[in-house]
Amino acid sequence: MRARPAHAATSPATTASALRVYSYIVARDFGFAPNPFFGWCTLATCKPVIRRTARVGDWVLGSGSADKGRSGRAIYAMRVQEAMTFGEYWADPRFARKRPDLRASQKIAFGDNIYRPDSSGGWRQLDSHHSLHDGNPNPLNVVADTATDRVLVSQDFIYWGGDGPAVPEHLRSFGEASEDLCCKNRGHRCLFDAALVTAAAAWFESFADHGLRGRPGDW
């Protein structure tokens, strides 16, 4: 555990009035999407719309699925601090340990730094959680992941995994419209009332210890 770091960004942050919370269900919690290991929470695969539209300063909340008895429980929350291309992510030495090796520990096996630019202008998909069982690239995942050439990065995050707290009731039936911060269906939600966004950000920031706090629920 560690204290919440000072906010840092490599591109202009959202203003308070424009701040958004992106909320979605983490249907498969293997520590892959998001990947919370080695001091960084990264969203490099899946959720292409969130990766394309979230800006520095926005929060991303992943909650559990009803199928696994985790509905309404937080899996992770991250404040977006950086956004980069797959090529930049691959080349950045900070994220070299996030390149997967399926013969290594679970943390390394579920690495999300899986797309290496090739000479043709395309992508080489490493043998990973998103590959076929024989190790060959999974063309469906390649297309879905690389449709948005953008990786979200943060050191200001809390990853609870399978031991996450219930999202407070005041964030699940907020205001006169009884808005629910937790997403209940596929896709994501981000068009919340500004007051709910402020309240959600305050809840995320109320935790003294940020960083990796639990194991993936599907390990």
Side-chain angles (χ1 to χ4, degrees):
M1 298 181 184
R2 57 179 172 77
R4 184 168 64 89
H7 177 63
T10 58
S11 61
T14 52
T15 65
S17 61
L19 181 71
R20 284 188 174 184
V21 174
Y22 287 79
S23 176
Y24 74 100
I25 294 172
V26 180
R28 303 170 71 246
D29 178 26
F30 287 100
F32 178 72
N35 183 287
F37 303 119
F38 306 115
W40 300 86
C41 188
T42 48
L43 190 61
T45 63
C46 306
K47 311 314 297 181
V49 178
I50 294 178
R51 287 190 288 116
R52 184 176 72 247
T53 59
R55 294 177 291 174
V56 168
D58 287 339
W59 283 93
V60 181
L61 169 67
S63 58
S65 69
D67 290 345
K68 297 180 180 178
R70 299 176 190 155
S71 179
R73 305 193 74 86
I75 291 177
Y76 82 106
M78 67 179 280
R79 189 203 303 262
V80 179
Q81 291 183 308
E82 299 181 57
M84 60 186 66
T85 66
F86 285 125
E88 291 168 339
Y89 188 51
W90 176 266
D92 195 318
R94 294 177 297 172
F95 309 115
R97 297 179 73 186
K98 287 179 178 274
R99 297 178 186 176
D101 180 349
L102 300 187
R103 299 166 296 180
S105 67
Q106 283 183 300
K107 286 199 300 184
I108 297 174
F110 284 102
D112 68 349
N113 195 351
I114 65 174
Y115 290 107
R116 179 177 185 175
D118 63 26
S119 58
S120 68
W123 305 100
R124 175 192 170 198
Q125 185 191 66
L126 272 62
D127 189 5
S128 65
H129 182 60
H130 261 194
S131 303
L132 298 173
H133 289 299
D134 62 3
N136 285 315
N138 183 320
L140 295 179
N141 285 338
V142 172
V143 170
D145 291 338
T146 63
T148 294
D149 184 8
R150 197 163 184 257
V151 179
L152 304 182
V153 175
S154 180
Q155 284 190 304
D156 189 2
F157 71 95
I158 316 170
Y159 177 86
W160 296 279
D163 297 320
V167 175
E169 283 300 319
H170 75 278
L171 300 178
R172 305 224 42 208
S173 182
F174 189 89
E176 294 182 3
S178 296
E179 282 193 283
D180 190 343
L181 184 65
C182 291
C183 188
K184 297 178 181 178
N185 303 301
R186 296 184 64 180
H188 73 273
R189 296 186 63 207
C190 65
L191 299 179
F192 296 108
D193 182 86
L196 175 54
V197 171
T198 299
W203 181 61
F204 301 146
E205 293 169 351
S206 71
F207 294 89
D209 293 317
H210 280 206
L212 182 63
R213 299 184 62 182
R215 290 166 54 89
D218 291 325
W219 277 14

